[in-house]
Amino acid sequence: MQQRSHAISGVSLGTSREVHSFHFGKQTGRKAYIQAGLHASELPGMLVSHYLRELLQQEEETGNLIGEVVLVPIANPIGLDQTVLTYQMGRFDLYTGENFNRYFPDLSTTVANQLKGQLTEDGSTNVSLARDVLKRHVDSLEPVRHVDALRKILLSLSCDADVVLDLHCDCESVLHLYTHPDNLDEVMPLSALMGAQVTLYASEQGNSPFDEVSVSFWSKLQKLLPEHPIPTPTISTAVELRGQLDVSHRQAKEDAERIVDYLRLQGVLEGKEQVYVPQVYHNATPLDGTEVLFSDRPGVIVYLAQCGDLLEPGDAVVDVVDPVTGETSRHHAGVKGVFFARQNRRYAMAGMDLAYIAGEHSLRSGQLLSA
């Protein structure tokens, strides 16, 4: 194992911040990139990374690591240090107001223009050529703001990976995954191993989150250069490790073991034949089929359904109670699906998102993610 440090430029005078990456194996074979804490207030993935490092060291020492793994246990030291009145504000950059997991640069057009005249009729060769060009363009980025410098570091470490796992969590939720439709067949075994109760897919989630950019680069390149074969070599998914308070040694160790099993299935580690993949809990559902229930008034939030419940249209999900007027606003499910995420606060402002239900049919368009 090698530990490397990557300085984040653009920080305030007299201060410094670094991203630390841990590198296992050799730069041969398939490469996996795993990061945690891009939303720095989401801690379960950081503890999972702690156990992943131990497991990967063991696999490396025993010779079972036949590929390369890059692990970034704290992907956002900027957000990790944003504590306001004891509350950690790790989702949005306090300087720019931007969500740390949005606005990753799309370099597909730039790379496509440079590849014209270089591609062959061999898909694997074309992937290697595209990755070389992409890597050079990522490394040549000259960010001014610290949030963009952070994005450059993470892309530089991950842009040539075959497997990209971005570890997150929700406010309160069951384990669920986000992925690109091109990756569904490869991601569903991970969903089964992790015991996910929902897997959501979308070609465009909105505002270029990290996990989407890692794979959509290839789908866009295929459209820009249709005359040459360009496979989709990257499997990318955001793994939502339940809720923010779901932090325990036992759970983190189990999650780390399941991720290692997935790396075996993907040929990064030896022992693929030893992995038992259970039956998946569910069929994948479109992200634009997710019903979001919003509060129409301020008040006290009282949940009537629990995360993981399979709801039918008309089922009561949540009340918002005004203790001054005595009025209660009850919100019901409009679709059949798994109630997979909700707030961990219990006071609502008007317009606040309260509940997420994974429906099977398209309902929405435009920006599909929350702020």
Side-chain angles (χ1 to χ4, degrees), residues 276-289:
Y276 167 72
V277 180
Q279 185 173 355
V280 70
Y281 272 84
H282 59 85
N283 294 320
T285 55
L287 180 57
D288 61 13

Side-chain angles (χ1 to χ4, degrees), residues 94-332:
L94 294 183
Y95 172 60
T96 64
E98 293 180 359
N99 187 317
F100 284 108
N101 190 26
R102 305 289 187 270
Y103 312 116
F104 279 84
D106 175 11
L107 297 173
S108 56
T109 299
T110 302
V111 172
N113 289 336
Q114 188 167 338
L115 285 174
K116 288 179 179 178
Q118 298 185 39
L119 296 181
T120 71
E121 295 308 308
D122 180 71
S124 298
T125 299
N126 293 340
V127 166
S128 297
L129 289 169
R131 280 179 165 165
D132 288 342
V133 175
L134 175 61
K135 178 70 172 173
R136 288 198 299 271
H137 278 289
V138 171
D139 291 341
S140 69
L141 293 173
E142 297 180 352
V144 174
R145 307 178 306 170
H146 61 189
V147 67
D148 295 318
L150 176 65
R151 291 168 180 145
K152 174 185 175 179
I153 290 169
L154 301 181
L155 282 181
S156 180
L157 289 167
S158 64
C159 66
D160 59 346
D162 300 289
V163 179
V164 175
L165 303 182
D166 190 15
L167 306 184
H168 286 260
C169 74
D170 217 306
C171 295
E172 290 182 358
S173 74
V174 292
L175 195 147
H176 57 286
L177 281 69
Y178 294 91
T179 194
H180 192 278
D182 290 354
N183 284 167
L184 268 179
D185 288 344
E186 294 85 0
V187 165
M188 291 310 289
L190 175 64
S191 184
L193 286 167
M194 301 294 292
Q197 291 179 252
V198 171
T199 297
L200 303 158
Y201 61 88
S203 297
E204 292 190 14
Q205 302 172 39
N207 291 330
S208 300
F210 174 82
D211 63 294
E212 177 184 304
V213 166
S214 297
V215 63
S216 66
F217 167 82
W218 296 101
S219 61
K220 292 177 180 178
L221 203 64
Q222 291 158 5
K223 293 176 182 176
L224 291 166
L225 300 168
E227 64 276 14
H228 296 285
I230 304 175
T232 301
T234 300
I235 303 165
S236 179
T237 182
V239 182
E240 302 280 346
L241 295 166
R242 307 168 195 86
Q244 286 182 305
L245 299 183
D246 292 323
V247 180
S248 72
H249 287 297
R250 179 193 60 79
Q251 189 66 73
K253 189 173 185 296
E254 289 181 2
D255 288 340
E257 290 169 349
R258 299 291 80 76
I259 289 172
V260 167
D261 282 344
Y262 185 65
L263 297 183
R264 295 189 200 283
L265 291 181
Q266 288 300 321
V268 180
L269 295 168
E270 293 277 13
K272 175 180 180 179
E273 65 283 350
Q274 301 170 10
V275 178
Y276 167 72
V277 180
Q279 185 173 355
V280 70
Y281 272 84
H282 59 85
N283 294 320
T285 55
L287 180 57
D288 61 13
T290 297
E291 180 181 36
V292 185
L293 303 183
F294 295 95
S295 178
D296 57 353
R297 66 187 68 193
V300 179
I301 299 171
V302 183
Y303 285 107
L304 308 173
Q306 303 301 314
C307 289
D309 288 351
L310 178 61
L311 301 179
E312 298 286 344
D315 285 350
V317 180
V318 56
D319 285 344
V320 178
V321 179
D322 182 338
V324 176
T325 66
E327 296 179 350
T328 295
S329 178
R330 178 160 292 181
H331 300 264
H332 300 82

